Amino acid sequence: MLLRPALLGIKGLGHPTPKRCFTSTPSGSVSRSSSETTTTNDQSPKEPSTTHFGFKTVETEKKKEMVAEVFHSVANKYDLMNDFMSAGIHRLWKDEFMKTLHPSPGTQLLDVAGGTGDIAFRFMDAIKSNPRYSVAQNKNKSRVTVCDINPSMLEVGKDRARQKGYLALEDPSIEFVVGDAENLPVASESVDAYTIAFGIRNCTNIDKVIAEAHRVLRKGGRFLCLEFSHIDSLGFANPIVQSIYDAYSFNVIPALGQAVTNDRASYQYLVESIRRFPSQIDFCDRIEKGGFKLVNYKNLTLGVAAIHSGFKM
């Protein structure tokens, strides 16, 4: 228990302090190169648009298929690899994520890119442990819809839900649906909270994902994103920490992927995709431009991961 504050990168009582976000970087401009779809300089209309896949440049229309192949490959051992890669710290990050959401009975949650159910199960446990929870008295039933573009990941989540007995619960209830984060199969203004954990960096167009989150949320609803981030965004330069982190990321994680799943390439991509994701401040700006208010973030483990939050007003 004494390790938790240190692992989360927290001072004081063990909870990260949210940082308010500004509408632009200090220079007044916002970098879009890390995740925005770009077009070639050639004026020919036949030239395909391009985006990144890790450090590679690929045709935009091919990225979803390439990402799908990655997660088809790793689905069965996804949670095991997360434990290996983070020494189990990802579980503490996800616990902190759910504490930040702090759902109350009756909450309708949409968890996007959550195929294996890690966030959904924490949501259900949080509802059931709430002192105000009562199946008999709760007129507005609590519900979580797990939406993932990858059927293989959803099958893992369904199996886990059956093993844990969650599918038998009427309140809170859980549903698994196949869907694209950029074009959700969910009605407008139909959920109270939207979560996405370690998924948004794999999407082709982050701005579309944020726009869809804004569309499906009710007024007053909350957007929460847990994602790998940047330790060099903390306001100080620490080349030693950065070099250790880079050495671990590019040498150890792909090797673990090869040893545990016989798939080095997929984990090489995952590491590269983290480096291409926007900084904490730049991502705040994207969320604000998507229509959200009261946007802030808090770093976990020196900024290795971060939680971003915003509200639909």
Side-chain angles (χ1 to χ4, degrees):
M1 294 299 292
L2 294 177
L3 291 177
R4 181 181 293 259
L7 292 172
L8 291 174
I10 307 167
K11 296 180 180 179
L13 297 178
H15 295 282
T17 302
K19 297 178 174 60
R20 288 299 302 272
C21 299
F22 300 94
T23 56
S24 63
T25 59
S27 64
S29 63
V30 178
S31 172
R32 299 292 190 190
S33 61
S34 58
S35 59
E36 194 81 20
T37 298
T38 59
T39 56
T40 60
N41 291 326
D42 193 339
Q43 309 243 338
S44 171
K46 295 182 180 180
E47 285 291 327
S49 63
T50 60
T51 188
H52 64 82
F53 178 77
F55 289 161
K56 299 176 183 177
T57 298
V58 300
E59 292 181 21
T60 301
E61 63 181 18
K62 294 182 178 180
K63 179 172 179 177
K64 285 181 184 178
E65 180 181 345
M66 296 172 73
V67 171
E69 285 301 316
V70 168
F71 286 94
H72 278 308
S73 174
V74 305
N76 289 332
K77 295 186 178 179
Y78 182 75
D79 292 315
L80 176 63
M81 271 301 299
N82 282 342
D83 283 330
F84 273 116
M85 290 190 300
S86 69
I89 298 174
H90 76 100
R91 297 177 183 272
L92 302 183
W93 293 341
K94 291 169 182 174
D95 289 344
E96 184 66 26
F97 189 53
M98 191 50 55
K99 288 179 182 177
T100 302
L101 180 60
H102 191 59
S104 59
T107 298
Q108 312 283 300
L109 170 67
L110 174 64
D111 181 40
V112 178
T116 61
D118 262 9
I119 301 304
F121 302 151
R122 282 172 169 79
F123 168 81
M124 297 176 82
D125 290 341
I127 293 295
K128 290 189 293 181
S129 64
N130 190 296
R132 292 185 292 140
Y133 171 71
S134 171
V135 175
Q137 297 178 2
N138 187 17
K139 296 180 180 179
N140 297 316
K141 303 298 185 183
S142 309
R143 184 188 76 238
V144 55
T145 300
V146 181
C147 181
D148 200 298
I149 198 171
N150 194 300
S152 298
M153 298 289 281
L154 287 170
E155 285 304 313
V156 173
K158 290 177 184 178
D159 287 343
R160 292 181 65 198
R162 279 190 286 268
Q163 292 169 11
K164 294 174 178 289
Y166 288 119
L167 291 180
L169 294 176
E170 293 184 359
D171 183 16
S173 63
I174 186 169
E175 178 185 16
F176 293 87
V177 299
V178 176
D180 186 345
E182 297 176 23
N183 186 22
L184 292 168
V186 179
S188 298
E189 299 190 351
S190 61
V191 298
D192 304 305
Y194 172 110
T195 54
I196 182 166
F198 303 119
I200 199 168
R201 75 180 190 282
N202 298 308
C203 297
T204 302
N205 191 315
I206 289 176
D207 294 331
K208 283 187 177 180
V209 176
I210 295 171
E212 277 292 272
H214 193 272
R215 177 183 68 81
V216 301
L217 280 167
R218 298 185 177 109
K219 294 288 180 63
R222 191 174 193 180
F223 168 88
L224 272 182
C225 176
L226 170 62
E227 188 54 87
F228 288 108
S229 202
H230 299 271
I231 62 174
D232 58 356
S233 296
L234 299 176
F236 62 87
N238 194 326
I240 295 176
V241 174
Q242 185 68 53
S243 64
I244 292 172
Y245 180 48
D246 286 343
Y248 177 77
S249 298
F250 289 103
N251 297 312
V252 177
I253 290 178
L256 280 172
Q258 179 64 36
V260 176
T261 69
N262 196 32
D263 186 354
R264 183 185 184 93
S266 291
Y267 286 92
Q268 183 71 33
Y269 157 73
L270 292 175
V271 170
E272 292 175 0
S273 69
I274 295 169
R275 297 305 189 275
R276 295 299 300 265
F277 193 68
S279 69
Q280 287 89 323
I281 293 296
D282 284 348
F283 189 42
C284 273
D285 186 75
R286 305 285 280 271
I287 297 168
E288 288 181 332
K289 288 183 182 300
F292 287 98
K293 307 298 182 184
L294 303 176
V295 177
N296 61 49
Y297 73 93
K298 52 186 174 184
N299 284 318
L300 307 176
T301 316
L302 298 177
V304 172
I307 296 173
H308 281 74
S309 171
F311 291 87
K312 179 176 179 177
M313 307 298 281

